[in-house]
CSV table of all heavy atoms in Angstrom, one decimal:
chain,number,residue,atom,x,y,z
A,177,SER,N,-9.1,0.6,4.7
A,177,SER,CA,-9.3,0.8,3.2
A,177,SER,C,-7.9,0.9,2.5
A,177,SER,O,-7.9,0.8,1.3
A,177,SER,CB,-10.1,2.1,3.0
A,177,SER,OG,-11.3,2.0,3.6
A,178,LEU,N,-6.8,1.2,3.2
A,178,LEU,CA,-5.6,1.5,2.6
A,178,LEU,C,-4.4,0.9,3.4
A,178,LEU,O,-4.5,0.9,4.6
A,178,LEU,CB,-5.4,3.0,2.4
A,178,LEU,CG,-4.2,3.5,1.6
A,178,LEU,CD1,-4.6,4.7,0.9
A,178,LEU,CD2,-3.0,3.8,2.6
A,179,LEU,N,-3.4,0.3,2.7
A,179,LEU,CA,-2.3,-0.3,3.4
A,179,LEU,C,-1.0,0.1,2.6
A,179,LEU,O,-0.9,-0.1,1.4
A,179,LEU,CB,-2.4,-1.8,3.5
A,179,LEU,CG,-1.3,-2.5,4.2
A,179,LEU,CD1,-1.3,-2.3,5.7
A,179,LEU,CD2,-1.3,-4.0,3.9
A,180,VAL,N,0.0,0.6,3.3
A,180,VAL,CA,1.3,0.9,2.7
A,180,VAL,C,2.1,-0.4,2.8
A,180,VAL,O,2.2,-1.0,3.9
A,180,VAL,CB,2.0,2.0,3.4
A,180,VAL,CG1,3.4,2.3,2.7
A,180,VAL,CG2,1.2,3.3,3.3
A,181,THR,N,2.6,-0.9,1.7
A,181,THR,CA,3.3,-2.2,1.7
A,181,THR,C,4.7,-2.0,1.1
A,181,THR,O,5.0,-0.9,0.7
A,181,THR,CB,2.5,-3.3,0.9
A,181,THR,OG1,2.9,-3.1,-0.5
A,181,THR,CG2,1.0,-3.1,1.0
A,182,ASP,N,5.4,-3.1,1.0
A,182,ASP,CA,6.7,-3.1,0.4
A,182,ASP,C,7.6,-2.1,1.1
A,182,ASP,O,8.4,-1.4,0.4
A,182,ASP,CB,6.6,-2.8,-1.1
A,182,ASP,CG,7.0,-4.0,-1.9
A,182,ASP,OD1,7.2,-5.0,-1.4
A,182,ASP,OD2,7.1,-3.8,-3.2
A,183,LEU,N,7.6,-2.0,2.4
A,183,LEU,CA,8.4,-1.0,3.1
A,183,LEU,C,9.9,-1.5,3.1
A,183,LEU,O,10.1,-2.6,3.6
A,183,LEU,CB,7.9,-0.8,4.5
A,183,LEU,CG,6.6,-0.1,4.6
A,183,LEU,CD1,6.0,-0.1,6.0
A,183,LEU,CD2,6.5,1.3,4.0
A,184,GLN,N,10.8,-0.8,2.5
A,184,GLN,CA,12.1,-1.2,2.3
A,184,GLN,C,13.1,0.0,2.2
A,184,GLN,O,12.6,1.1,1.8
A,184,GLN,CB,12.3,-2.1,1.1
A,184,GLN,CG,11.8,-1.4,-0.2
A,184,GLN,CD,11.6,-2.4,-1.3
A,184,GLN,OE1,12.3,-3.4,-1.5
A,184,GLN,NE2,10.6,-2.1,-2.2
A,185,GLY,N,14.3,-0.2,2.6
A,185,GLY,CA,15.3,0.9,2.5
A,185,GLY,C,16.5,0.6,3.4
A,185,GLY,O,16.8,-0.5,3.7
A,186,VAL,N,17.1,1.7,3.8
A,186,VAL,CA,18.3,1.6,4.6
A,186,VAL,C,18.0,2.3,5.9
A,186,VAL,O,17.7,3.5,5.9
A,186,VAL,CB,19.5,2.3,3.9
A,186,VAL,CG1,20.7,2.3,4.8
A,186,VAL,CG2,19.8,1.6,2.6
A,187,GLY,N,18.1,1.6,7.0
A,187,GLY,CA,17.8,2.1,8.3
A,187,GLY,C,16.3,2.6,8.3
A,187,GLY,O,15.4,1.9,7.9
A,188,MET,N,16.2,3.9,8.7
A,188,MET,CA,14.8,4.5,8.8
A,188,MET,C,14.4,5.2,7.5
A,188,MET,O,13.3,5.8,7.5
A,188,MET,CB,14.8,5.5,10.0
A,188,MET,CG,14.9,4.8,11.3
A,188,MET,SD,13.4,4.0,11.9
A,188,MET,CE,13.9,3.5,13.5
A,189,LYS,N,15.2,5.2,6.5
A,189,LYS,CA,14.9,5.8,5.2
A,189,LYS,C,14.4,4.8,4.2
A,189,LYS,O,15.1,3.8,3.9
A,189,LYS,CB,16.1,6.5,4.6
A,189,LYS,CG,16.5,7.8,5.4
A,189,LYS,CD,17.3,8.7,4.6
A,189,LYS,CE,17.4,10.1,5.4
A,189,LYS,NZ,17.9,11.1,4.6
A,190,LEU,N,13.1,5.0,3.8
A,190,LEU,CA,12.5,4.0,3.0
A,190,LEU,C,12.2,4.5,1.5
A,190,LEU,O,12.0,5.7,1.3
A,190,LEU,CB,11.1,3.6,3.6
A,190,LEU,CG,11.1,3.3,5.1
A,190,LEU,CD1,9.7,3.1,5.6
A,190,LEU,CD2,12.0,2.0,5.3
A,191,THR,N,12.2,3.6,0.6
A,191,THR,CA,11.9,3.9,-0.8
A,191,THR,C,11.2,2.8,-1.5
A,191,THR,O,11.1,1.7,-1.0
A,191,THR,CB,13.2,4.3,-1.5
A,191,THR,OG1,12.8,4.7,-2.9
A,191,THR,CG2,14.1,3.1,-1.7
A,192,ASP,N,10.7,3.0,-2.7
A,192,ASP,CA,10.1,2.0,-3.6
A,192,ASP,C,8.9,1.3,-2.9
A,192,ASP,O,8.9,0.1,-2.9
A,192,ASP,CB,11.2,1.0,-4.1
A,192,ASP,CG,10.7,0.3,-5.3
A,192,ASP,OD1,9.8,0.7,-6.0
A,192,ASP,OD2,11.3,-0.8,-5.6
A,193,VAL,N,8.1,2.0,-2.2
A,193,VAL,CA,7.0,1.4,-1.4
A,193,VAL,C,5.8,1.2,-2.4
A,193,VAL,O,5.7,1.7,-3.5
A,193,VAL,CB,6.6,2.3,-0.2
A,193,VAL,CG1,7.7,2.5,0.7
A,193,VAL,CG2,6.0,3.6,-0.7
A,194,GLY,N,4.8,0.4,-1.9
A,194,GLY,CA,3.6,0.2,-2.6
A,194,GLY,C,2.4,0.5,-1.8
A,194,GLY,O,2.6,0.7,-0.5
A,195,ILE,N,1.3,0.6,-2.4
A,195,ILE,CA,0.0,0.9,-1.6
A,195,ILE,C,-1.1,0.0,-2.1
A,195,ILE,O,-1.3,-0.1,-3.3
A,195,ILE,CB,-0.4,2.4,-1.7
A,195,ILE,CG1,0.6,3.3,-1.0
A,195,ILE,CG2,-1.8,2.5,-1.1
A,195,ILE,CD1,0.2,4.8,-1.0
A,196,ALA,N,-1.7,-0.7,-1.2
A,196,ALA,CA,-2.9,-1.5,-1.6
A,196,ALA,C,-4.2,-0.8,-1.1
A,196,ALA,O,-4.1,-0.2,0.0
A,196,ALA,CB,-2.8,-2.9,-0.9
A,197,THR,N,-5.2,-0.8,-1.9
A,197,THR,CA,-6.5,-0.2,-1.5
A,197,THR,C,-7.6,-1.2,-1.7
A,197,THR,O,-7.4,-2.1,-2.5
A,197,THR,CB,-6.8,1.1,-2.2
A,197,THR,OG1,-6.8,0.9,-3.6
A,197,THR,CG2,-5.8,2.3,-1.9
A,198,LEU,N,-8.7,-0.9,-1.1
A,198,LEU,CA,-9.9,-1.7,-1.5
A,198,LEU,C,-10.2,-1.5,-2.9
A,198,LEU,O,-9.8,-0.4,-3.5
A,198,LEU,CB,-11.1,-1.4,-0.6
A,198,LEU,CG,-10.9,-1.7,0.9
A,198,LEU,CD1,-12.1,-1.3,1.7
A,198,LEU,CD2,-10.6,-3.2,1.2
A,199,ALA,N,-11.0,-2.3,-3.5
A,199,ALA,CA,-11.3,-2.2,-5.0
A,199,ALA,C,-11.7,-0.8,-5.4
A,199,ALA,O,-11.3,-0.3,-6.4
A,199,ALA,CB,-12.3,-3.2,-5.4
A,200,LYS,N,-12.6,-0.2,-4.6
A,200,LYS,CA,-13.1,1.1,-4.9
A,200,LYS,C,-12.1,2.3,-4.7
A,200,LYS,O,-12.3,3.4,-5.0
A,200,LYS,CB,-14.4,1.4,-4.2
A,200,LYS,CG,-14.3,1.5,-2.7
A,200,LYS,CD,-15.6,1.8,-2.1
A,200,LYS,CE,-15.5,2.1,-0.6
A,200,LYS,NZ,-15.7,0.9,0.3
A,201,GLY,N,-10.9,1.9,-4.1
A,201,GLY,CA,-10.0,2.9,-3.8
A,201,GLY,C,-10.3,3.6,-2.4
A,201,GLY,O,-11.1,3.2,-1.7
A,202,TYR,N,-9.5,4.7,-2.1
A,202,TYR,CA,-9.8,5.4,-0.9
A,202,TYR,C,-9.6,6.9,-1.1
A,202,TYR,O,-8.6,7.4,-1.5
A,202,TYR,CB,-8.7,4.9,0.2
A,202,TYR,CG,-8.9,5.7,1.5
A,202,TYR,CD1,-10.0,5.4,2.3
A,202,TYR,CD2,-8.0,6.6,1.9
A,202,TYR,CE1,-10.2,6.1,3.5
A,202,TYR,CE2,-8.1,7.3,3.1
A,202,TYR,CZ,-9.2,7.0,3.9
A,202,TYR,OH,-9.4,7.7,5.1
A,203,LYS,N,-10.7,7.6,-0.9
A,203,LYS,CA,-10.8,9.1,-1.1
A,203,LYS,C,-10.2,9.4,-2.5
A,203,LYS,O,-9.4,10.3,-2.6
A,203,LYS,CB,-10.0,9.8,0.0
A,203,LYS,CG,-10.7,9.6,1.3
A,203,LYS,CD,-10.0,10.5,2.4
A,203,LYS,CE,-10.8,10.4,3.7
A,203,LYS,NZ,-10.3,11.3,4.7
A,204,GLY,N,-10.6,8.7,-3.5
A,204,GLY,CA,-10.2,9.0,-4.9
A,204,GLY,C,-8.8,8.5,-5.3
A,204,GLY,O,-8.4,8.7,-6.4
A,205,PHE,N,-8.2,7.8,-4.4
A,205,PHE,CA,-6.8,7.2,-4.6
A,205,PHE,C,-6.9,5.7,-4.8
A,205,PHE,O,-7.5,5.0,-4.0
A,205,PHE,CB,-5.9,7.6,-3.5
A,205,PHE,CG,-4.5,7.0,-3.6
A,205,PHE,CD1,-3.6,7.6,-4.3
A,205,PHE,CD2,-4.2,5.8,-3.0
A,205,PHE,CE1,-2.3,7.1,-4.5
A,205,PHE,CE2,-3.0,5.2,-3.2
A,205,PHE,CZ,-2.0,5.9,-3.9
A,206,LYS,N,-6.3,5.2,-5.9
A,206,LYS,CA,-6.2,3.8,-6.1
A,206,LYS,C,-4.7,3.4,-6.0
A,206,LYS,O,-3.9,4.0,-6.6
A,206,LYS,CB,-6.8,3.4,-7.4
A,206,LYS,CG,-8.3,3.3,-7.4
A,206,LYS,CD,-8.9,2.4,-8.4
A,206,LYS,CE,-10.4,2.3,-8.2
A,206,LYS,NZ,-10.9,1.2,-8.9
A,207,GLY,N,-4.5,2.3,-5.2
A,207,GLY,CA,-3.1,1.8,-5.1
A,207,GLY,C,-2.6,1.0,-6.3
A,207,GLY,O,-3.3,0.8,-7.3
A,208,ASN,N,-1.4,0.5,-6.1
A,208,ASN,CA,-0.7,-0.3,-7.2
A,208,ASN,C,-0.5,-1.7,-6.8
A,208,ASN,O,0.2,-2.5,-7.4
A,208,ASN,CB,0.6,0.4,-7.6
A,208,ASN,CG,1.6,0.4,-6.5
A,208,ASN,OD1,1.2,0.3,-5.3
A,208,ASN,ND2,2.9,0.6,-6.8
A,209,CYS,N,-1.1,-2.1,-5.6
A,209,CYS,CA,-0.9,-3.5,-5.1
A,209,CYS,C,-2.3,-4.2,-5.0
A,209,CYS,O,-3.3,-3.5,-4.8
A,209,CYS,CB,-0.2,-3.5,-3.8
A,209,CYS,SG,1.4,-2.9,-3.9
A,210,SER,N,-2.3,-5.5,-4.9
A,210,SER,CA,-3.5,-6.3,-4.8
A,210,SER,C,-4.2,-6.1,-3.5
A,210,SER,O,-3.5,-5.9,-2.4
A,210,SER,CB,-3.2,-7.7,-5.0
A,210,SER,OG,-4.2,-8.6,-4.5
A,211,ILE,N,-5.5,-6.1,-3.5
A,211,ILE,CA,-6.3,-6.0,-2.3
A,211,ILE,C,-6.0,-7.2,-1.3
A,211,ILE,O,-6.2,-7.1,-0.1
A,211,ILE,CB,-7.9,-6.0,-2.6
A,211,ILE,CG1,-8.7,-5.8,-1.4
A,211,ILE,CG2,-8.3,-7.3,-3.3
A,211,ILE,CD1,-10.2,-5.6,-1.7
A,212,SER,N,-5.5,-8.3,-1.8
A,212,SER,CA,-5.2,-9.4,-1.0
A,212,SER,C,-4.1,-9.1,0.0
A,212,SER,O,-4.0,-9.7,1.1
A,212,SER,CB,-4.7,-10.6,-1.8
A,212,SER,OG,-3.5,-10.3,-2.5
A,213,PHE,N,-3.3,-8.1,-0.2
A,213,PHE,CA,-2.2,-7.7,0.7
A,213,PHE,C,-2.9,-7.1,2.0
A,213,PHE,O,-2.4,-7.3,3.1
A,213,PHE,CB,-1.3,-6.6,0.1
A,213,PHE,CG,-0.6,-7.0,-1.1
A,213,PHE,CD1,0.0,-6.1,-1.9
A,213,PHE,CD2,-0.4,-8.3,-1.4
A,213,PHE,CE1,0.7,-6.4,-3.1
A,213,PHE,CE2,0.3,-8.7,-2.6
A,213,PHE,CZ,0.8,-7.8,-3.4
A,214,ILE,N,-4.0,-6.5,1.8
A,214,ILE,CA,-4.7,-6.0,3.0
A,214,ILE,C,-5.2,-7.1,3.9
A,214,ILE,O,-5.1,-7.1,5.1
A,214,ILE,CB,-5.9,-5.0,2.6
A,214,ILE,CG1,-5.4,-3.8,1.9
A,214,ILE,CG2,-6.8,-4.7,3.8
A,214,ILE,CD1,-6.4,-2.8,1.4
A,215,GLU,N,-5.8,-8.1,3.2
A,215,GLU,CA,-6.3,-9.3,3.9
A,215,GLU,C,-5.2,-10.0,4.6
A,215,GLU,O,-5.4,-10.5,5.8
A,215,GLU,CB,-7.1,-10.2,2.9
A,215,GLU,CG,-8.3,-9.6,2.4
A,215,GLU,CD,-8.7,-10.2,1.0
A,215,GLU,OE1,-8.1,-11.2,0.5
A,215,GLU,OE2,-9.6,-9.5,0.3
A,216,GLN,N,-4.1,-10.2,3.9
A,216,GLN,CA,-2.9,-10.9,4.5
A,216,GLN,C,-2.4,-10.1,5.7
A,216,GLN,O,-2.0,-10.7,6.7
A,216,GLN,CB,-1.9,-11.1,3.5
A,216,GLN,CG,-2.2,-12.3,2.5
A,216,GLN,CD,-1.4,-12.3,1.3
A,216,GLN,OE1,-0.6,-11.4,1.0
A,216,GLN,NE2,-1.5,-13.4,0.5
């Protein structure tokens, strides 16, 4: 139901990530990326 995307940063420290959720969201949370990212 949820995927963390856009993982980027320096070494093991990451920032500016995105989250894709199914259309209905997940446990009251809606992401900022398209559901197609989950399928891909």
Side-chain angles (χ1 to χ4, degrees):
S177 301
L178 186 145
L179 179 73
V180 180
T181 86
D182 246 9
L183 296 172
Q184 55 194 328
V186 176
M188 294 281 185
K189 290 201 168 192
L190 311 174
T191 185
D192 199 21
V193 301
I195 293 181
T197 54
L198 296 179
K200 62 178 189 268
Y202 178 71
K203 293 189 176 181
F205 176 85
K206 282 204 171 195
N208 61 341
C209 297
S210 162
I211 187 174
S212 65
F213 300 161
I214 295 177
E215 292 153 15
Q216 284 167 347

